[in-house]
């Protein structure tokens, strides 16, 4: 039994071409949202089970890569074309050579994947619901059913989703929801990125079924809403090598803290530090755990006044140490 189970419907085989010593340097890895989350969880000392579909020859390669990284892989093996991409980064920016989202899950494959995800999620007690490689991989309603069934069985559900999959998971109910401010705008929940708009959207998401709502804002401090109200969490701004995967590292850090028994207001500090460190690296979902632990000490947390016009400038400002964060949380709101 692992500490955390990740529902990752379609991991991606990634081939990246870089340059080293004037020669092409080719890297082959497993990738995708769930993989990046799993990778950071492992760095933070949590064991991980990945529930995923493994399609065709790409799937066979992915299984070996995932197991070599130390994940427990519970996969549905099926024929067909899997998710993969080839990127050329020798010029400093990613240039797409080829990409495929893979084929949608057939009904029987989806039933099998659902069953193993439910079983492993209940065994772990904590499950992260992550998105697929393509919109057509599986029906969005899968997330409603899975979140509802996991919570009925006593598991804590962490969702990192957007669009129809986000709406479906909310209908089923989630304990912790992470979403970006861009995704809120894309879903029509905000018309701009002002604090007033974001806080209003967060209240709406909590009303619709999220126990805790976390909104990332690129390089700006993230926002969180729980049963006690709003907080703003500011991590140090690091020099950026690659921003991709930072949000997934944030989600993983929060899940790792919850797996250790931390209140969400303490776990969010680890998440913020993990996300901040991830941008300094080209490897997505990676980071030195000792560096993350040190960065935690530089994460500033402040409460925000909860009223209809609340903005960042109305906050009650102050640095709260990780040891003092638990006192801010309502234990009955942690689930």
């Amino acid at each position: 039994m692992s500490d955390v189970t990740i529902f990752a419907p379609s991991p991606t085989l990634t081939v990246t071409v870089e340059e080293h010593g004037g020669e092409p340097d080719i890297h082959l890895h497993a990738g995708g949202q769930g993989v990046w989350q799993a990778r950071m969880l492992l760095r933070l000392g949590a064991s991980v089970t990945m529930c995923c579909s493994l399609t065709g020859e790409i799937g066979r390669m992915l299984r070996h890569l995932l197991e070599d990284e130390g994940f427990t892989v519970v996969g549905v093996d099926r024929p067909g074309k899997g998710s993969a991409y080839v990127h050329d980064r020798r010029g400093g920016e990613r240039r797409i050579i080829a990409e495929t989202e893979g084929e949608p899950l057939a009904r029987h494959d989806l039933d099998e994947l659902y069953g193993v995800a439910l079983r492993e999620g209940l065994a772990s007690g904590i499950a992260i619901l992550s998105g697929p490689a393509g919109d057509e991989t599986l029906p969005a309603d899968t997330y409603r059913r899975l979140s509802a069934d996991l919570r009925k069985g006593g598991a804590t559900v962490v969702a990192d989703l957007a669009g129809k999959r986000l709406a479906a998971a909310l209908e089923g109910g989630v304990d912790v929801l992470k979403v970006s401010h861009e995704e809120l705008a894309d879903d029509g929940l905000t018309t701009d990125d002002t604090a007033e708009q974001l806080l209003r959207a967060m209240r709406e998401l909590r009303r619709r079924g999220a126990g805790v709502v976390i909104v990332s804002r690129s390089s700006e401090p993230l926002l969180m809403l729980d049963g006690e109200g709003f907080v703003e969490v500011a991590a140090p701004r690091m020099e950026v090598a690659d921003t991709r995967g930072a949000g997934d590292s944030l989600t993983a850090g929060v899940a790792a803290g919850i797996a250790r028994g931390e209140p969400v207001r303490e776990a969010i500090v680890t998440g913020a530090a993990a996300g901040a460190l991830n941008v300094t690296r080209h490897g997505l979902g990676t980071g030195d755990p000792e560096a993350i632990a040190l960065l935690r000490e530089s994460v500033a947390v402040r409460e925000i006044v909860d009223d209809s016009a609340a903005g960042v400038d109305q906050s009650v400002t102050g640095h709260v140490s990780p040891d003092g964060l638990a006192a801010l949380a309502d234990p009955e709101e942690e689930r």
Side-chain angles (χ1 to χ4, degrees):
M1 180 180 68
S2 297
D3 297 322
V4 180
T5 290
I6 298 181
F7 179 64
S10 52
T12 299
L13 180 65
T14 74
V15 182
T16 305
V17 184
E18 298 185 342
E19 187 169 318
H20 182 72
E23 297 289 334
D25 190 16
I26 300 173
H27 299 268
L28 185 69
H29 296 290
Q33 184 185 32
V35 175
W36 300 330
Q37 292 164 347
R39 197 167 282 146
M40 180 55 74
L41 277 161
L42 210 63
R43 297 294 194 282
L44 293 171
S47 56
V48 180
T49 292
M50 293 198 63
C51 298
C52 51
S53 63
L54 298 167
T55 308
E57 61 181 357
I58 287 175
R60 292 192 291 274
M61 177 63 72
L62 282 169
R63 179 182 287 278
H64 288 295
L65 291 171
L66 292 168
E67 290 177 346
D68 285 349
E69 287 200 53
F71 310 128
T72 299
V73 180
V74 181
V76 175
D77 297 296
R78 61 181 183 131
K81 181 174 66 177
S83 172
Y85 70 65
V86 180
H87 288 180
D88 188 338
R89 204 163 58 184
R90 283 175 290 180
E93 300 292 332
R94 289 183 182 270
R95 185 168 64 89
I96 298 171
I97 304 300
E99 290 185 333
T100 176
E101 295 179 347
E103 297 174 349
L105 282 160
R107 180 170 62 86
H108 293 297
D109 293 329
L110 178 58
D111 285 346
E112 186 177 352
L113 180 59
Y114 188 95
V116 297
L118 182 60
R119 181 192 72 209
E120 297 299 326
L122 292 176
S124 294
I126 301 174
I128 297 178
L129 305 185
S130 67
D135 288 338
E136 304 303 319
T137 301
L138 75 172
D141 191 60
T142 306
Y143 289 90
R144 176 193 63 80
R145 297 191 296 118
L146 188 55
S147 59
D149 287 346
L150 284 166
R151 295 179 86 230
K152 288 173 185 174
T156 296
V157 175
V158 179
D160 190 346
L161 301 166
K164 294 179 180 180
R165 293 182 288 273
L166 167 59
L170 285 172
E171 189 175 345
V174 300
D175 296 282
V176 179
L177 170 67
K178 180 265 171 184
V179 64
S180 72
H181 75 283
E182 295 99 337
E183 290 165 338
L184 291 178
D186 291 343
D187 291 345
L189 290 168
T190 61
T191 56
D192 56 51
D193 58 0
T194 61
E196 181 179 355
Q197 285 278 318
L198 293 174
L199 300 187
R200 182 180 294 116
M202 292 169 74
R203 291 191 194 92
E204 173 63 15
L205 291 171
R206 195 163 191 271
R207 185 192 67 77
R208 288 169 55 185
V212 176
V213 180
I214 300 168
V215 175
S216 60
R217 299 192 292 166
S218 299
S219 60
E220 296 299 314
L222 63 87
L223 301 171
M224 186 179 82
L225 171 63
D226 62 6
E228 290 290 298
F230 291 99
V231 294
E232 180 190 77
V233 184
R237 292 191 181 185
M238 313 299 285
E239 295 296 319
V240 175
D242 194 336
T243 60
R244 297 195 317 153
D248 299 314
S249 292
L250 162 62
T251 300
V254 172
I258 294 172
R260 290 193 293 263
E262 297 174 357
V264 174
R265 288 199 177 191
E266 185 172 344
I268 191 66
V269 177
T270 299
L277 184 64
N278 188 86
V279 305
T280 69
R281 304 171 63 90
H282 290 107
L284 307 185
T286 62
D288 176 64
E290 293 183 9
I292 293 171
L294 292 171
L295 278 177
R296 288 182 85 255
E297 301 302 319
S298 300
V299 174
V301 180
R302 63 179 184 175
E303 294 188 53
I304 299 175
V305 175
D306 183 4
D307 60 39
S308 60
V312 173
D313 58 348
Q314 294 172 295
S315 302
V316 179
T317 305
H319 183 274
V320 184
S321 67
D323 291 339
L325 286 168
L328 296 175
D330 182 351
E332 295 184 358
E333 290 290 342
E334 293 303 326
R335 289 209 38 96

